[in-house]
Amino acid sequence: MYKIKKEKEKNTIILPATLDAHFPLLKYMFWSRGYCVEELKDFNEFEIRQEGMKYANHDICFPYLLIAGQTIRALKTGKYDLKRTFILMPTAGDACRGSCYIGLMRKSLNKAGFGDVRVMTLNVRHIEDDIQVKMNLDTAIRGLAGMFYGDILMMLANQIRPYEKNKGETDAKFNEWTEKLSADIRLGRNMSPGNIKRTFEKIAASFEKIPVNDTKKTVVGIVGEFYVKYCRLGNWDIVNYLEENNCEACVTGLSWYALYYIDSHKPEKKNPERAGFEIVKKLIVSLQESMRQTMMRHGFKVMSSYKDMDEASREEVNHKFIIGDGWLMGAEVIDFINNDINKVLCIAPFGCMPNVCEGRGLYPYLKRRYPEAGIAVVETDMSGSALNYYNRVQMLIH
């Protein structure tokens, strides 16, 4: 009874769904004696959409409407002590979503009658420092482990699930590892780079043992803005849809985005902050290469390293595009094609201006540059038809 009472006295941090494979692990980087963290798992897309439309301008970007709708639906359940509840916006503080979602969420919460609920942010751009989640070495290390474990579990599961002989075995293995690794991250144990690399080996070896059918399926690479790439709520459950249609979905891991973000947003002048960015980059590069080599050693496919992806795209993609997912979207399209994944699905959320300028504006050129590839753009939005969305996916598949 003592533990239950203490848990109720904690502040609650609510995480709106964004990273399906990563948040079950990453949420424990914020866990402490003063806070417990809850990832929202309401995926009733229609009702979430309707809720979001009540408290935001209908022309705002599609991801925000979903995040607002999911958050407010959770608060309306009455299960939270509003004075002890915080909303952690999954934003990094750069232009567009990275900064504007903070103010938008406050307005939506006030309109919905939840003005007591405070909005927090992860941003590293010093936007409203008083609401920024404070990062220390312990938090950063746990976050690094959660990012990489989420990457390898997501990529392995996506490669094996379409071919598994015993339906559900891949997801069971995924959940087993998520539970085990969550405990490690929450307690801060086995967090050294060496331990993380050794855990990569154990994870890959365990997934390799899952019996699979010797069949050939169409592989579809998925590219897009951060939210619609990693969250099934934002991409209308595209990975499951592709698997149901005899395909394998391929999604690049979060660590590639992290390296892109560091390169794009580190200070231009040499100072202690830039030095910190460089140190973190070197560690991520080392862990990413270890993860890649481990996967290949066990017979799994993996995309090119961030460095190779960066260099291979420079002739076709303007690397001055650094708003949102910027040049990384074009680089991923090129890398899929260079790795013989010639069907690429580019998902664009309605209202996302960086995606329109840096993504959709580039894809027609890449289609002309790589005529052997199929590059299809689909859009998710409030008024869009899911039927038209999936029809375009079918055109790409066939």
Side-chain angles (χ1 to χ4, degrees), residues 41-50 70 73 233:
K41 296 183 179 180
D42 175 7
F43 289 100
N44 188 324
E45 198 255 351
F46 176 77
E47 293 189 8
I48 287 171
R49 277 207 264 176
Q50 297 304 109
Q70 188 185 45
R73 268 172 62 85
L233 183 60

Side-chain angles (χ1 to χ4, degrees), residues 113-131:
F114 298 113
D116 288 336
V117 177
R118 285 157 287 179
V119 180
M120 302 173 75
T121 175
L122 276 176
N123 85 82
V124 294
R125 307 292 292 172
H126 306 296
I127 297 173
E128 298 191 49
D129 284 340
D130 58 321
I131 63 163

Side-chain angles (χ1 to χ4, degrees), residues 55-191:
Y55 306 107
N57 188 300
H58 295 186
D59 287 332
I60 201 67
C61 69
F62 184 58
Y64 178 74
L65 285 164
L66 293 176
I67 289 172
Q70 188 185 45
T71 301
I72 292 170
R73 268 172 62 85
L75 294 173
K76 283 185 175 181
T77 62
K79 63 184 285 189
Y80 302 102
D81 178 350
L82 300 183
K83 294 187 181 297
R84 287 181 172 271
T85 300
F86 299 80
I87 308 300
L88 180 56
M89 298 303 292
T91 61
D94 54 345
C96 201
R97 177 227 292 255
S99 53
C100 73
Y101 274 23
I102 303 165
L104 286 172
M105 181 56 73
R106 286 198 189 112
K107 290 181 69 174
S108 295
L109 291 173
N110 284 330
K111 190 174 181 180
F114 298 113
D116 288 336
V117 177
R118 285 157 287 179
V119 180
M120 302 173 75
T121 175
L122 276 176
N123 85 82
V124 294
R125 307 292 292 172
H126 306 296
I127 297 173
E128 298 191 49
D129 284 340
D130 58 321
I131 63 163
Q132 181 179 343
V133 177
K134 302 305 178 186
M135 299 282 286
N136 54 34
L137 183 60
D138 175 63
T139 304
I141 290 172
R142 288 194 284 177
L144 200 65
M147 176 176 71
F148 275 106
Y149 290 151
D151 273 4
I152 193 169
L153 290 173
M154 177 189 72
M155 291 188 291
L156 290 175
N158 285 348
Q159 283 190 47
I160 297 173
R161 193 168 44 239
Y163 307 97
E164 62 186 5
K165 287 185 177 180
N166 307 311
K167 190 169 178 59
E169 189 170 355
T170 305
D171 285 340
K173 182 64 67 177
F174 181 99
N175 293 334
E176 177 187 329
W177 272 110
T178 297
E179 184 176 349
K180 179 182 184 303
L181 296 171
S182 293
D184 282 353
I185 295 172
R186 181 178 178 181
L187 297 172
R189 65 190 181 197
N190 302 322
M191 294 288 99

Side-chain angles (χ1 to χ4, degrees), residues 14 45 57 71 98 106 136-137 153 170 173 183-184 190 207 230 258 268 270 289 309 313 334 344 354 379 392:
I14 292 177
E45 198 255 351
N57 188 300
T71 301
R106 286 198 189 112
N136 54 34
L137 183 60
L153 290 173
T170 305
K173 182 64 67 177
D184 282 353
N190 302 322
F207 273 87
Y230 294 115
E268 292 184 9
K270 292 184 177 181
E289 190 56 24
M309 188 182 290
S313 64
I334 293 169
V344 185
E379 187 172 80
R392 291 191 65 81

Side-chain angles (χ1 to χ4, degrees), residues 330-390:
E332 287 184 341
V333 172
I334 293 169
D335 197 59
F336 280 130
I337 297 168
N338 288 341
N339 280 280
D340 298 321
I341 298 175
N342 288 320
K343 293 184 186 293
V344 185
L345 184 67
C346 306
I347 306 176
F350 173 79
C352 179
M353 293 308 295
N355 196 95
V356 170
C357 299
E358 301 164 343
R360 296 188 73 162
L362 177 66
Y363 301 143
Y365 164 75
L366 292 179
K367 176 61 181 159
R368 294 191 297 271
R369 178 70 177 78
Y370 300 95
E372 74 279 12
I375 302 173
V377 181
V378 293
E379 187 172 80
T380 56
D381 68 84
M382 301 300 291
S383 59
S385 163
L387 179 61
N388 287 339
Y389 175 87
Y390 293 127

